[in-house]
Amino acid sequence: MRKTNSTDRAAQRRKLQQAAPPRRGARAPRPRQETPYHHGALRDALLEAAERVLERDGLAGLTLRAVAREAGVSHAAPTHHFGDLTGLLSELAAVGFRRFNAAMVAAAAAGTTPAAKAMARARAYVAYAEANPGMYGLMFRTERLDYSRPSLHEAAEASFAGLAGAIGASRHEQISDHALTLEQAAAIARAWSLVHGFTMLLLDGRLADMLERSPAGTTADMLLDAMLKVTITRGQDA
């Protein structure tokens, strides 16, 4: 009969230890606990986690389970607070619109003339998108959002009202964001198309070749300013 080697003896000891009842007073291993949150804080934590996932993994990677894992909570938590993925995306877009609006308001406040305010708003628009490309992209994915949710509806309306007000100031007239003349609508659409279009080209890397063809040292900010000056001057002459 062969002798039991040290490896066999060690294996036997592990089996005996596993089979033996726990010693009196010994603590059983604690199950993994999820991060505790107050009810209100959990909602904010989920939105913060969703933003991190969005900017890191893109919209395709933003799922309820991914957000729960990022926040360190149960998979049911996002559903409890937002209903479904559309609800979560809509509330996240509302956060984006509020920050977006605040950045443009703060930038415009430093301007001393309507033209300076308009240019400052446009620069802030582009700067926000550059700093938060995932959030900016989500804010304009209408098919993924539910604009009937009050928070998103109010934030988006505030954004449009700010744009309408800026265009009205540059035209030296009061523009209602609820009822527009054709000329007012055209002025708003022209300004929005210019800045939004520029922003999308910039984010997609489509301006790099154009900048290389421009005078040495030309930056995207310089190109934007040149576009804005021409547009604003024409608007004031109209």
Side-chain angles (χ1 to χ4, degrees):
M1 187 174 182
R2 72 179 181 86
K3 295 181 179 180
T4 304
N5 58 32
S6 59
T7 302
D8 292 336
R9 288 196 297 271
Q12 291 173 359
R13 282 198 299 272
R14 285 196 298 271
K15 288 182 181 180
L16 291 173
Q17 289 171 354
Q18 291 171 357
R23 299 190 308 275
R24 185 176 181 179
R27 293 183 179 180
R30 294 182 179 181
R32 178 180 176 274
Q33 293 184 348
E34 294 163 351
T35 304
Y37 289 100
H38 180 271
H39 180 80
L42 175 55
R43 185 181 187 280
D44 291 340
L46 288 169
L47 289 172
E48 291 170 3
E51 184 174 2
R52 290 195 298 272
V53 173
L54 175 63
E55 296 295 348
R56 184 184 66 228
D57 303 328
L59 187 55
L62 182 54
T63 65
L64 294 178
R65 283 183 173 271
V67 171
R69 284 196 301 270
E70 183 73 19
V73 297
S74 73
H75 291 161
T79 301
H80 174 72
H81 283 274
F82 304 105
D84 55 16
L85 182 58
T86 296
L88 173 61
L89 295 179
S90 299
E91 294 300 324
L92 184 59
V95 171
F97 269 114
R98 287 193 289 269
R99 293 179 188 165
F100 182 55
N101 297 338
M104 289 189 288
V105 169
T112 56
T113 65
K117 290 178 181 294
M119 292 189 68
R121 281 183 61 89
R123 293 190 195 103
Y125 186 114
V126 177
Y128 177 86
E130 282 192 284
N132 308 275
M135 184 75 90
Y136 180 79
L138 172 64
M139 287 157 51
F140 294 98
R141 290 294 297 273
T142 306
E143 79 282 4
R144 300 295 302 273
L145 305 176
D146 178 7
Y147 278 88
S148 69
R149 296 179 78 95
S151 57
L152 178 57
H153 177 76
E154 291 170 8
E157 282 295 303
S159 181
F160 184 79
L163 174 60
I167 298 303
S170 68
R171 290 166 57 90
H172 305 290
E173 64 178 307
Q174 185 72 30
I175 294 183
S176 168
D177 54 313
H178 300 294
L180 305 172
T181 66
L182 178 58
E183 291 75 14
Q184 291 171 342
I188 293 171
R190 180 172 61 246
W192 192 4
S193 297
L194 184 148
V195 181
H196 182 70
F198 179 90
T199 300
M200 294 306 298
L201 290 172
L202 181 62
L203 294 181
D204 290 342
R206 302 300 297 274
L207 294 178
D209 182 64
M210 186 179 299
L211 292 172
E212 288 179 0
R213 298 167 188 260
S214 302
T218 300
T219 64
D221 289 341
M222 293 167 63
L223 180 59
L224 175 63
D225 281 354
M227 293 169 56
L228 293 173
K229 287 176 182 177
V230 172
T231 303
I232 291 173
T233 300
R234 287 179 178 174
Q236 291 177 335
D237 293 340

